[in-house]
């Protein structure tokens, strides 16, 4: 059974840090990423990784502050978030393409539009991150 389980969210003040973790089970998550949905906004791809090429994508607002990494032995992906800002507030989701789709590059997996983030098929339940000013 395919499952993605996020942990590590919470509430921090501006400038604080959080580390999100996502454990994948039931498949080898070679392409996997983090998405977020802020209140009243469309879901966006924050950071995605392709483990074969070590291709890492970051949305502009995350560059220099967030770092995505993975532990293949644990089938786990992490998102280290530093210097958090109130605009980082939202529900963070871990997501991956289906095994039928296979591997996608970071930018492709993380691509989202108003109709959704359609290149990700498996989704975690989401975890809240709140950054106060």
């Amino acid at each position: 059974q395919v499952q993605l389980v996020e942990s590590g969210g919470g509430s921090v003040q501006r400038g604080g840090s959080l580390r999100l973790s996502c454990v994948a089970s039931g498949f080898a998550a070679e392409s996997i990423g983090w998405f977020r949905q802020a209140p009243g906004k469309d879901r966006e791809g924050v950071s995605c990784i392709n483990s074969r090429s070590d291709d890492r994508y970051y949305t502009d607002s995350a560059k220099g502050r967030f770092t995505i990494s993975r532990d293949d032995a644990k089938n786990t992906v992490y998102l280290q978030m530093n210097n958090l800002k109130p605009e980082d507030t939202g529900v963070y989701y871990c997501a991956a393409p289906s095994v039928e789709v296979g591997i996608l590059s970071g930018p492709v997996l993380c691509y989202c539009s108003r109709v959704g983030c359609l290149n990700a098929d498996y989704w975690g339940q989401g975890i809240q991150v709140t950054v106060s000013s």
Side-chain angles (χ1 to χ4, degrees):
Q1 181 180 359
V2 170
Q3 198 172 19
L4 296 168
V5 180
E6 303 102 336
S7 62
S11 297
V12 296
Q13 291 190 326
R14 177 192 291 270
S17 297
L18 286 172
R19 188 194 194 206
L20 305 183
S21 301
C22 172
V23 179
S25 58
F27 72 112
E30 294 184 280
S31 294
I32 193 165
W34 290 96
F35 299 75
R36 72 182 170 201
Q37 188 149 24
K41 294 189 177 181
D42 295 333
R43 191 170 297 187
E44 65 170 331
V46 176
S47 183
C48 295
I49 185 169
N50 172 344
S51 62
R52 285 198 185 179
S53 63
D54 200 31
D55 163 35
R56 305 177 192 216
Y57 166 86
Y58 297 95
T59 192
D60 286 345
S61 64
K63 290 177 182 176
R65 300 188 298 125
F66 294 3
T67 302
I68 191 169
S69 62
R70 58 180 300 142
D71 183 334
D72 289 338
K74 297 180 180 179
N75 214 20
T76 299
V77 63
Y78 305 97
L79 186 67
Q80 177 67 44
M81 305 187 293
N82 298 327
N83 191 22
L84 282 160
K85 304 176 181 181
E87 51 265 43
D88 295 317
T89 293
V91 179
Y92 283 68
Y93 298 88
C94 175
S98 69
V99 294
E100 291 77 18
V101 169
I103 297 172
L104 297 176
S105 69
V108 172
L109 176 58
C110 260
Y111 175 77
C112 299
S113 68
R114 284 196 169 187
V115 298
C117 308
L118 301 182
N119 293 326
D121 302 293
Y122 304 144
W123 291 86
Q125 80 283 0
I127 193 163
Q128 180 69 41
V129 170
T130 302
V131 185
S132 61
S133 55

